[in-house]
Amino acid sequence: MARARQAQLTKPRGSLGRLEELAAELAFIQGSPQPRARPAQAVIFAADHPVVRHGISAYPADVTRSMLRCFAAGGAAAAVLAARQQIPLSVIDVGVAEPLDEGYGSHASCCILRSPMADLPAGDLRCEDAMPEPTLRAALDAGRSWADSLDTLPAVAIIGEIGIGNTTAASAVAAHLLACAPEEIVGPGTGLSPDAVERKCNVVRDALRRIEGCSSDEALGRIGGRDLAAMTGAMLAFEGSACAILVDGFIASTAALAACRRSPGLRAQLLFAHRSAEPGHTRILEELAARPLLDLEMRLGEASGALTAFPLLELACALHGEMSTFAESRVPDRPSATA
Amino acid sequence: MARARQAQLTKPRGSLGRLEELAAELAFIQGSPQPRARPAQAVIFAADHPVVRHGISAYPADVTRSMLRCFAAGGAAAAVLAARQQIPLSVIDVGVAEPLDEGYGSHASCCILRSPMADLPAGDLRCEDAMPEPTLRAALDAGRSWADSLDTLPAVAIIGEIGIGNTTAASAVAAHLLACAPEEIVGPGTGLSPDAVERKCNVVRDALRRIEGCSSDEALGRIGGRDLAAMTGAMLAFEGSACAILVDGFIASTAALAACRRSPGLRAQLLFAHRSAEPGHTRILEELAARPLLDLEMRLGEASGALTAFPLLELACALHGEMSTFAESRVPDRPSATA
């Protein structure tokens, strides 16, 4: 029905390109001839990663915590993008090493919460399990709890992360799920030197060796991280609902891949916001047969790519719903005699 | 100054990718450390093209006129996109074959005007000049008049077109300016069959042969069209001002190329919204060393690509202006000891 309407709008068929597909995909996911981008909800899961002690991030570990304060002040990129678009944003601490002294609660541009599971044990994925089984379960549940806490089902959910060291965890999980060598996945993250990228590759290689032959479900716990697992849990919470999930960049796509391995039906609800500058992202997009909407060389995380792509969903829905049809406007739709 | 601020924002340097460049480019054009996307203004120039009698469009010629009515009713794609974003939109008839019976004036989503020059003579570019010299001059002036009529200088101007047959005129002008064979430029426009594309190539080839050796200024008049020339005039009107011009797709880029040939300094004020599905567009983008923001396979015209890219400008400016700096938020910006 949505596609039939597209064909009747006052424009040459297909001339709105991927905006037409986007409206049709949203309509399919939402089971409605009139796709919507609102209500939208955004969430960012934040966690630290003991693996940072191997020098695999360009930033010191305490930046994760500082960034929570920056969200509280409304000055983080995602806080600006969400506020500007009036998209409610929650930032959920699922494992920042040291809790904030103050700052949890409601702020102008977001709400910051610490999940009780943030205090559960976590390990250095290079040489021990990143999450013991109870921590993994609790992280997945923290994601689901966020989804369950919403008053109404969002038309679009935006799910992101923040955590120094989490491209290493995501690279390890992605390499395992895709059966790739670390070199094919690992990139500069927030801005590593070539030496540090090499070091990150070695860390990922050790992690992969440690869990050789284990299942994809297990891999998320053993070499992933709490932010990744919470994203996976949040995505799975929407499975089978009429909610579209707008996936951010490399790390969110790794969580999406892990979620699809658990529940392949979820794939049909995923829209991919952008192609990250992180090299592993392209491999995941290929695996999921996904074409992202934007390619702006972004590599920040924080759901910033998804929040930047969100206006395209809104405009695609507006065009779908508000353009007139050939019949309504009496514009001739026949091909010209000679063409 | 704008780039210095970018380096201090709470994100890894460069991690917002092209949004950072975009903010810096806008700041440079506007001569301000605080780039802005508003006030924005959009204009669409509409004209018919006698060359349509050779069967080079998938739509009959009277669709141009019908589309003006569709704009009056608010149901055209660009009318929806502009209204949704509260961007004032003018549609200026600079040569629709038969004026509207009614519909000129102010509407909810746009203002539609007929320029007095719309009645000046125009020709079939295949075998005669598309615009005699007084028509060309008047069309350029019509573009300039729109710019002059604005109460305040826009921060961003969006300039588009509508006109059955105008991809043929743009293809001819682009092929002349780029010294390309018609086959390298001509595409399916709004949806031509391969036979009709062949026919369109022949029309362009005849036009090019007719004006061999003439200057680029002359080419715009002899094988262009009134909509193209009005766009060129509107762009030139902003030259040297603090207004950024967000260029739409293939046809608007042809007008931009013609404007840059007249006034090379204008190039620095141009931002390119999207890569059109029309093959000639990539050649023009190469010539102007331009990287468009979006690549969504759009090919509608009506400034629809530029109106779709506009939110990226707004978000880039918001990030630039509203994110906190490392100093403000006390987030450490030193590289970690080991990276």
Side-chain angles (χ1 to χ4, degrees):
Chain A
M1 256 177 90
R3 284 193 201 272
R5 177 170 167 85
Q6 278 288 349
Q8 289 162 22
L9 299 178
T10 48
K11 59 175 176 52
R13 284 175 205 195
S15 62
L16 286 170
R18 297 197 53 207
L19 295 182
E20 297 187 27
E21 279 172 33
L22 191 55
E25 282 181 67
L26 278 169
F28 175 75
I29 294 166
Q30 296 169 357
S32 157
Q34 185 48 67
R36 299 175 306 150
R38 307 267 182 175
Q41 286 282 351
V43 68
I44 293 171
F45 296 101
D48 274 309
H49 295 261
V51 71
V52 291
R53 64 182 175 148
H54 301 293
I56 43 69
S57 175
Y59 282 78
D62 58 349
V63 164
T64 311
R65 185 166 181 267
S66 306
M67 284 305 299
L68 289 192
R69 285 204 305 267
C70 192
F71 270 93
V80 171
L81 293 168
R84 174 59 65 127
Q85 300 181 78
Q86 299 180 286
I87 298 172
L89 169 64
S90 299
V91 180
I92 303 180
D93 171 356
V94 291
V96 176
E98 199 187 333
L100 293 182
D101 303 320
E102 52 185 23
Y104 294 111
S106 283
H107 303 278
S109 65
C110 64
C111 174
I112 307 181
L113 302 170
R114 182 160 167 105
S115 164
M117 60 69 58
D119 294 313
L120 293 181
D124 168 4
L125 64 89
R126 183 180 206 167
C127 38
E128 61 189 332
D129 284 351
M131 288 177 274
E133 183 55 35
T135 306
L136 171 61
R137 224 174 18 245
L140 289 163
D141 284 349
R144 183 174 292 277
S145 292
W146 167 74
D148 290 345
S149 74
L150 302 172
D151 287 338
T152 50
L153 183 74
V156 175
I158 291 173
I159 296 168
E161 46 54 46
I162 184 162
I164 297 300
N166 66 5
T167 59
T168 300
S171 297
V173 172
H176 182 86
L177 298 187
L178 298 170
C180 281
E183 294 76 12
E184 296 175 70
I185 302 290
V186 171
T190 49
L192 285 181
S193 66
D195 271 7
V197 172
E198 177 63 31
R199 197 155 54 228
K200 191 165 156 183
C201 265
N202 290 335
V203 167
V204 169
R205 192 172 299 107
D206 289 347
L208 291 171
R209 203 171 289 141
R210 202 169 56 70
I211 66 156
E212 223 173 298
C214 89
S215 74
S216 57
D217 283 11
E218 273 181 287
L220 183 63
R222 298 191 62 190
I223 60 173
R226 291 161 290 180
D227 43 0
L228 269 164
M231 282 194 282
T232 302
M235 292 179 191
L236 287 169
F238 291 116
E239 205 216 334
S241 78
C243 173
I245 297 165
L246 184 58
V247 180
D248 191 37
F250 171 57
I251 299 168
S253 294
T254 302
L257 178 60
C260 287
R261 288 289 165 89
R262 283 170 189 244
S263 228
L266 182 69
R267 171 65 187 86
Q269 283 169 256
L270 305 179
L271 302 170
F272 289 81
H274 79 122
R275 185 182 301 277
S276 154
E278 194 70 6
H281 197 205
T282 292
R283 298 299 306 264
I284 299 177
L285 293 170
E286 283 167 8
E287 173 76 7
L288 292 172
R291 293 171 69 201
L293 292 164
L294 296 175
D295 188 356
L296 296 173
E297 298 163 19
M298 296 173 74
R299 52 180 174 80
L300 176 60
E302 293 182 19
S304 58
L307 288 164
T308 301
F310 184 76
L312 298 179
L313 275 62
E314 279 210 292
L315 294 177
C317 292
L319 288 164
H320 188 91
E322 296 165 28
M323 279 181 71
S324 45
T325 60
F326 282 107
E328 281 159 17
S329 63
R330 291 172 301 142
V331 175
D333 181 31
R334 42 167 211 267
S336 71
T338 45
Chain B
M1 257 177 91
R3 284 191 202 272
R5 178 171 166 83
Q6 277 289 347
Q8 289 162 21
L9 299 179
T10 47
K11 58 173 177 52
R13 284 175 205 196
S15 62
L16 286 171
R18 297 197 55 207
L19 295 182
E20 296 187 27
E21 279 173 33
L22 191 55
E25 282 181 68
L26 278 168
F28 175 76
I29 295 167
Q30 296 170 357
S32 158
Q34 184 47 67
R36 298 175 306 149
R38 308 265 181 176
Q41 285 281 352
V43 67
I44 293 170
F45 296 101
D48 274 308
H49 295 261
V51 71
V52 291
R53 65 182 173 146
H54 301 294
I56 43 68
S57 174
Y59 282 77
D62 58 350
V63 163
T64 312
R65 184 167 181 268
S66 306
M67 284 305 299
L68 289 192
R69 285 203 307 267
C70 191
F71 271 94
V80 170
L81 293 168
R84 173 59 65 128
Q85 300 182 79
Q86 298 180 286
I87 298 173
L89 170 65
S90 297
V91 180
I92 302 179
D93 171 357
V94 291
V96 176
E98 199 187 332
L100 293 182
D101 303 319
E102 53 184 24
Y104 294 111
S106 285
H107 303 278
S109 65
C110 62
C111 173
I112 307 181
L113 301 169
R114 182 161 168 102
S115 164
M117 60 70 58
D119 294 313
L120 293 181
D124 167 4
L125 63 90
R126 181 179 209 167
C127 38
E128 62 190 330
D129 284 351
M131 289 177 274
E133 182 56 35
T135 305
L136 170 62
R137 224 172 19 246
L140 289 162
D141 284 349
R144 183 173 292 278
S145 293
W146 167 75
D148 291 344
S149 73
L150 301 173
D151 287 338
T152 50
L153 182 73
V156 175
I158 292 173
I159 296 167
E161 45 54 46
I162 184 162
I164 297 299
N166 66 4
T167 58
T168 300
S171 297
V173 172
H176 182 88
L177 298 187
L178 299 170
C180 281
E183 294 76 12
E184 296 176 69
I185 301 290
V186 171
T190 49
L192 285 181
S193 65
D195 271 9
V197 172
E198 177 64 33
R199 196 153 57 228
K200 191 166 158 186
C201 266
N202 290 335
V203 167
V204 169
R205 191 173 297 108
D206 289 347
L208 291 171
R209 202 171 289 142
R210 202 168 56 69
I211 66 156
E212 222 172 299
C214 89
S215 73
S216 58
D217 283 12
E218 274 182 286
L220 182 63
R222 298 191 63 191
I223 60 174
R226 292 161 290 180
D227 42 1
L228 268 164
M231 280 193 282
T232 301
M235 292 178 191
L236 288 169
F238 291 115
E239 204 216 334
S241 78
C243 173
I245 298 166
L246 183 59
V247 180
D248 192 36
F250 171 58
I251 300 168
S253 294
T254 302
L257 178 61
C260 287
R261 288 289 165 91
R262 281 170 190 243
S263 229
L266 183 68
R267 172 64 187 87
Q269 283 169 256
L270 305 179
L271 302 170
F272 289 80
H274 78 124
R275 185 181 301 276
S276 154
E278 195 69 5
H281 196 206
T282 292
R283 298 300 305 263
I284 299 177
L285 293 170
E286 283 166 7
E287 174 76 7
L288 293 171
R291 292 170 70 201
L293 292 164
L294 296 175
D295 188 356
L296 295 173
E297 297 162 19
M298 296 173 73
R299 52 180 174 79
L300 176 61
E302 293 181 18
S304 58
L307 288 163
T308 301
F310 184 76
L312 297 179
L313 276 63
E314 280 210 292
L315 294 177
C317 292
L319 287 165
H320 188 91
E322 296 165 28
M323 279 181 72
S324 45
T325 60
F326 282 107
E328 281 160 16
S329 63
R330 293 172 300 143
V331 175
D333 182 28
R334 38 162 216 270
S336 71
T338 45

